[in-house]
Amino acid sequence: MSYRPLIASLAGLGLAAGLGTAGAVAATGGLTPAGLAAAPAASAAQAYDWGNVEIVGGGFVPGIVFNQTEPGLVYARTDIGGAYRLDAATQRWIPLLDHVGWDDWNHNGVLSLATDPVDPDNVYVAVGTYTNSWDPNDGAVLRSSDRGETWQKTDLPFKVGGNMPGRGMGERLSVDPHDNRVLYLGTEGGNGLWRSTDKGVTWSEVTAFPNPGSYVQDPDDENGYLSSNQGVVWVTFDPSSSTGTQPTRTIYVGVADKENGVYRSTDAGATWERVPGQPTGFLPHKGVLDATGRQLYVATSDTGGPYDGGSGDVWRLDVATGTWDRISPVPSSSADAYYGYSGLTIDRQDPDTLMVVSQVSWWPDIVIWRSTDRGETWSRIWDWDGYPNRTLRYTLDISGAPWLDFGEQPNPPEPSPKLGWMTESFEIDPFDSDRFFYGTGATIYGGTDLTEWDTGGTVDISVKAQGIEETAVLDLVAPPGGAELISGLADIGGFVHTDVTQVPSGMYTQPYHGAVHSLDFAELSPSTVVRVGQGVDGDVESHIGISTSGGSSWWAGQEPAGVTGAGTVAVAADGGRIVWSPAGTGVHVSTTLGSGWTASTGIPAGARVESDRVNPQVFYGYAAGTFYRSTDGGASFTASTAAGLPADGNVRFAAVPGHEGDVWLAGGATDKTYGMWRSTDRGATFTRVSAVDEGDAVGFGKAAPGNSYPAVYTSSKIDGVRGLFRSDDAGATWVRINDDEHQWAWTGSTITGDPDVYGRVFVGTNGRGIVVGDLTGTAPEPTEQPTEQPTEQPGTGACTAQYAVTGSWPGGFQGSLTVKNTATTPVTGWSAGWTFASGEQVTQGWGGTLTQSGATVSVAAPAWSTTLAPGASATVGFIASGTAGTPTSITLGGKACSTS
């Protein structure tokens, strides 16, 4: 899904690997069709509306496929984000594989897609994500007779690699244009060419096909990602070779073999031959047939891509004479050639017109070529005009996804934004010579005036990916008030969404993070936000970014010595401290918003860290089955004696807003300890949540009407059902909120409720972006019955107060005040205050509404926490000018508190 080299979708590799298991399918001859899941999942118990947080794009689109007989019918496939169909009325892409569940998560990787030219209602996808050990499951072919609304599945007895090298070649899956019962599928890993004669219900290997492919990018790759045989890469029918409903007799097949790349059958697949005279030395990425002019065009590159490719050619075969001609815009023998070719397409309204793209040209940009004379001559979409200047035949509008400039200014000759990268699919609408789409590593571009090119005009290109959300989500936070959502994403960093229905204007910069792995905000001062990440190529200005403006602006923090990766990060409830557990070194704490760090003690390197959401002195950590707690602001940690927690698998935990010491932990491994636990004593003890069979992501949102405890959200398996759940009564009961059509494959990375809107939940996926759900039914009756108690304003001895200076500098300082209700009854609408003794003046505050009159500072309770229960605390933080002194007359509710 990535937009730059050396990624191979890091999120897809790390998050998805090892999540599910499936038995192998034994097959002799045809395969037996199977249902969409081994066992049906339960339907949702509460009505929700589901959609995406709007980002638009975000990942590699290796294939765009037009139906050749129905105008306006077009599909797109992605490498880890499923398949889409374009809605003709709205021009938004409709996701088609959201039904894919947890156990068959690999079906979100789509290696190839075919739309039926005989019956356009039929569509097929070859699914699977990896062919190495990262994916324990075999692949499958999914078939639909209603354009992707519903699907049936046939399991294959081998793996399919929708996110493997070579995934942009194709299409590998194709429907016979005369007899649509017949389909062919080119496979990877030496499995050869396969065929179905019953519309994809059963499949068998074409044993007469002589070459399963030989190209391996790196035979010595120990993890198996680069050492896979890229196999049989495209199937192209010659519809002029048959009439009526007889199977098409002439079929061309491309193979990942630099010496034997193109094969042909002239007897409907019974026998095959290597096409005589074919070029050698390169891999055939695309094979497109002009049945009218009797020409086969082949675009080649020296590697399978999509991240690399430094040489190649374009060839034309006259199928009547058998003559091959090299028609490369820039021949591979030229000193100016530094790219291979892909994105080959023909204008079906004018078959003399063809286009091709430099498959990868990172600098200064890709090149798109156009020929109106079958490749005899070419023009390019941009030309040099005296280095570093260029003349352009296009305009590029990214207003549909403004972040596509990646926060970079043009640096001639390199533009920003770019025309693309990893461009494997460029398609002209077969019914409209002006309309086109092409995929890049991050979006779909397109336009409707392509023929302007031929008369000296400019082609207007703009973002056409609306509806496609293909990001791998690593972390999410939803601060109360302010921004609706702040995200950490693989490959494109992440965003601050002030409105989740609108595309943000830009991604994170200062520092730029290609992937953000962890986020946190100060619960009592939500404008303080911290993120940790890294560059997609490893380079980064700083692994940590800090904001005190809710994410509207950031600065790069300093780093402890030895940091090599993001790790996890936590911010104190009042924003006064940051605890960071980066890769490459141990856990550290900063009291200066990242300008200096001190090593924490008592906690192992690599531990996951979180903050208490009430007490700014309390932080938590977790590693290898042991829970850790700090009560001195992260300076030192102590291991809990709590036993029985998971030591393996993905383990995540979170503290509850408004409830000091309340922590939920979820995770584990299917063959070991796996579940969900809760602690109400800062992790000293944990109690298992009995209904949760397998616990994964857990988060919190606004409490249900009439309840005081936040809603708990989780992606888990509860009472035997895998899904998304909400509890309004602290885990005593759970309701499933998603349904069988809304599963989004793997959702175990992160989940959070909206602190301001009851029922709203944000879910991180591994390829389908950020999913947002809103409760559509009536809110449930309160499950907690509040006890009617008189409200008492405390007097002396009914509250305690702790005032602290957390940082200082010449002319100013940062401080905090924590007040605790020590009475036996709750305090509603609480207020606090103190009197400065040395002329100090508050300049900024958080955790409440701070005002100052003379020397007296008053604090009104924040809207999200107006009641202090017996034993509960509230913390406010502030920055002030002057020299810090000792305040007098600290009060809660106008009454003096005991101080410590």
Side-chain angles (χ1 to χ4, degrees):
M1 64 159 292
S2 51
Y3 73 95
R4 293 177 187 258
L6 305 179
I7 308 168
S9 181
L10 295 178
L13 312 188
L15 296 180
L19 292 178
T21 59
V25 176
T28 56
L31 301 182
T32 302
L36 280 175
S43 297
Q46 198 161 69
Y48 261 71
D49 273 344
W50 294 100
N52 275 101
V53 173
E54 195 84 353
I55 293 172
V56 179
F60 181 32
V61 181
I64 298 167
V65 182
F66 278 93
N67 187 278
Q68 296 296 310
T69 57
E70 180 175 314
L73 181 57
V74 58
Y75 295 88
R77 63 177 173 94
T78 69
D79 49 10
I80 67 168
Y84 294 79
R85 184 186 71 247
L86 187 66
D87 182 270
T90 65
Q91 291 299 293
R92 289 182 65 88
W93 297 89
I94 301 169
L96 303 178
L97 299 182
D98 284 355
H99 69 270
V100 170
W102 183 276
D103 291 334
D104 57 356
W105 59 267
N106 68 326
H107 291 177
N108 247 19
V110 182
L111 180 64
S112 192
L113 183 149
T115 172
D116 188 338
V118 178
D119 182 354
D121 286 342
N122 295 331
V123 62
Y124 304 86
V125 286
V127 295
T129 304
Y130 301 106
T131 62
N132 63 352
S133 62
W134 298 335
D135 186 343
N137 302 327
D138 284 334
V141 174
L142 306 185
R143 62 189 187 278
S144 173
S145 59
D146 53 13
R147 305 183 184 217
E149 293 296 324
T150 60
W151 297 88
Q152 293 177 292
K153 180 184 74 168
T154 297
D155 289 310
L156 296 169
F158 46 78
K159 294 183 179 183
V160 171
N163 199 33
M164 293 293 289
R167 60 192 179 272
M169 296 191 284
E171 292 292 319
R172 301 174 189 247
L173 185 61
S174 190
V175 182
D176 191 315
H178 287 284
D179 183 354
N180 67 339
R181 296 173 301 174
V182 176
L183 292 87
Y184 283 86
L185 171 64
T187 72
E188 306 149 287
N191 292 299
L193 180 67
W194 285 61
R195 177 171 52 210
S196 172
T197 58
D198 55 9
K199 295 188 176 181
V201 177
T202 61
W203 291 82
S204 59
E205 185 177 4
V206 181
T207 56
F209 190 77
N211 189 351
S214 63
Y215 176 73
V216 172
Q217 183 169 340
D218 180 3
D220 298 322
D221 179 25
E222 293 182 357
N223 64 31
Y225 184 72
L226 301 178
S227 60
S228 174
N229 178 352
Q230 296 184 18
V232 180
V233 298
W234 49 263
V235 179
T236 298
F237 291 94
D238 181 356
S240 67
S241 64
S242 297
T243 59
T245 59
Q246 294 299 310
T248 302
R249 296 191 60 80
T250 300
I251 311 164
Y252 292 90
V253 173
V255 177
D257 182 331
K258 292 188 176 182
E259 300 303 314
N260 309 284
V262 182
Y263 288 80
R264 177 174 56 202
S265 174
T266 57
D267 52 13
T271 62
W272 298 84
E273 67 168 348
R274 178 186 185 275
V275 178
Q278 67 182 262
T280 60
F282 297 107
L283 300 177
H285 273 234
K286 301 288 179 181
V288 180
L289 183 79
D290 169 19
T292 302
R294 311 294 295 139
Q295 308 289 327
L296 175 71
Y297 297 95
V298 180
T300 71
S301 183
D302 59 343
T303 75
Y307 307 114
D308 54 1
S311 185
D313 281 303
V314 182
W315 291 84
R316 183 184 63 209
L317 169 66
D318 187 309
V319 301
T321 66
T323 302
W324 288 88
D325 291 302
R326 183 166 68 172
I327 57 169
S328 309
V330 180
S332 60
S333 57
S334 169
D336 295 326
Y338 58 94
Y339 36 70
Y341 294 95
S342 193
L344 180 66
T345 188
I346 293 175
D347 183 348
R348 299 292 177 179
Q349 297 296 306
D350 178 12
D352 286 348
T353 296
L354 61 149
M355 299 182 70
V356 74
V357 183
S358 59
Q359 181 259 319
V360 168
S361 176
W362 295 104
W363 183 94
D365 206 348
I366 63 167
V367 186
I368 304 172
W369 288 272
R370 181 173 172 89
S371 173
T372 57
D373 54 12
R374 300 187 181 187
E376 294 297 324
T377 60
W378 298 87
S379 58
R380 48 189 283 163
I381 202 165
W382 62 265
D383 284 292
W384 293 108
D385 186 23
Y387 186 88
N389 299 318
R390 301 185 306 151
T391 57
L392 310 180
R393 284 191 172 88
Y394 71 93
T395 63
L396 180 56
D397 174 11
I398 63 166
S399 59
W403 55 267
L404 283 166
D405 62 4
F406 291 85
E408 298 177 356
Q409 295 298 313
N411 182 23
E414 195 167 14
S416 181
K418 289 193 172 189
L419 274 171
W421 50 88
M422 295 161 52
T423 300
E424 296 267 30
S425 185
F426 190 110
E427 298 294 332
I428 302 172
D429 187 329
F431 298 93
D432 184 347
S433 298
D434 275 317
R435 187 183 188 215
F436 67 98
F437 294 110
Y438 67 94
T440 77
T443 194
I444 293 177
Y445 285 128
T448 57
D449 60 356
L450 187 55
T451 60
E452 290 292 319
W453 185 321
D454 303 329
T455 56
T458 58
V459 178
D460 297 321
I461 301 172
S462 60
V463 176
K464 301 295 184 184
Q466 286 76 12
I468 289 181
E469 297 294 345
E470 190 202 357
T471 52
V473 185
L474 306 181
D475 203 6
L476 298 170
V477 294
E484 282 194 274
L485 189 70
I486 304 176
S487 58
L489 308 175
D491 296 346
I492 60 172
F495 301 92
V496 176
H497 272 86
T498 57
D499 181 346
V500 297
T501 68
Q502 301 297 315
V503 182
S505 60
M507 59 176 58
Y508 300 130
T509 57
Q510 298 178 327
Y512 168 77
H513 285 154
V516 170
H517 289 253
S518 180
L519 294 155
D520 198 16
F521 67 92
E523 188 70 40
L524 306 180
S525 177
S527 59
T528 299
V529 188
V530 178
R531 58 181 163 92
V532 290
Q534 54 203 48
V536 293
D537 57 0
D539 295 331
V540 69
E541 173 190 357
S542 171
H543 288 89
I544 186 166
I546 300 145
S547 173
T548 54
S549 61
S552 62
S553 62
W554 300 82
W555 71 86
Q558 300 298 312
E559 297 185 350
V563 173
T564 59
T568 58
V569 70
V571 184
D574 65 354
R577 288 172 176 257
I578 301 170
V579 171
W580 184 16
S581 178
T585 189
V587 177
H588 283 68
V589 60
S590 173
T591 60
T592 56
L593 291 176
S595 63
W597 298 90
T598 302
S600 303
T601 62
I603 186 171
R608 188 178 188 91
V609 294
E610 299 283 357
S611 65
D612 191 86
R613 310 313 288 179
V614 176
N615 190 330
Q617 293 297 307
V618 177
F619 287 85
Y620 306 108
Y622 192 82
T626 300
F627 195 83
Y628 298 85
R629 178 181 67 245
S630 172
T631 58
D632 58 7
S636 64
F637 285 79
T638 302
S640 168
T641 58
L645 300 176
D648 301 282
N650 292 308
V651 179
R652 292 167 172 80
F653 68 96
V656 182
H659 295 258
E660 182 178 347
D662 198 336
V663 179
W664 293 65
L665 183 146
T670 54
D671 57 345
K672 297 182 181 179
T673 305
Y674 200 172
M676 182 182 291
W677 293 259
R678 181 188 175 198
S679 173
T680 57
D681 55 10
R682 299 181 177 178
T685 61
F686 280 88
T687 301
R688 181 157 185 159
V689 181
S690 59
V692 180
D693 308 312
E694 298 175 355
D696 291 283
V698 62
F700 311 98
K702 185 175 182 179
N707 288 13
S708 60
Y709 197 85
V712 185
Y713 296 92
T714 187
S715 170
S716 290
K717 186 177 183 180
I718 295 180
D719 292 331
V721 176
R722 170 60 68 175
L724 304 178
F725 296 85
R726 189 191 72 242
S727 175
D728 296 326
D729 52 13
T733 60
W734 298 88
V735 59
R736 188 185 181 207
I737 59 176
N738 72 318
D739 55 51
D740 297 354
E741 296 305 311
H742 299 90
Q743 299 191 75
W744 310 285
W746 192 70
T747 54
S749 62
T750 180
I751 190 170
T752 185
D754 189 315
D756 302 319
V757 180
Y758 167 68
R760 178 174 293 171
V761 62
F762 301 103
V763 184
T765 75
N766 187 41
R768 269 289 287 118
I770 306 168
V771 171
V772 55
D774 277 298
L775 178 65
T776 59
T778 303
E781 292 296 322
T783 54
E784 304 175 348
Q785 297 299 326
T787 302
E788 295 294 333
Q789 294 179 322
T791 298
E792 174 184 272
Q793 294 298 327
T796 302
C799 62
T800 60
Q802 183 179 26
Y803 179 92
V805 175
T806 58
S808 62
W809 52 88
F813 65 98
Q814 180 173 324
S816 68
L817 173 69
T818 300
V819 291
K820 182 176 182 179
N821 177 16
T822 57
T824 58
T825 54
V827 180
T828 58
W830 64 267
S831 62
W834 70 89
T835 301
F836 279 129
S838 306
E840 301 92 332
Q841 185 70 37
V842 171
T843 58
Q844 181 180 349
W846 52 89
T849 302
L850 279 73
T851 57
Q852 183 171 353
S853 176
T856 301
V857 179
S858 300
V859 183
W864 65 85
S865 181
T866 59
T867 299
L868 284 183
S873 300
T875 299
V876 296
F878 62 90
I879 294 175
S881 61
T883 302
T886 302
T888 61
S889 303
I890 299 177
T891 61
L892 177 63
K895 304 295 184 179
C897 296
S898 302
T899 59
S900 60

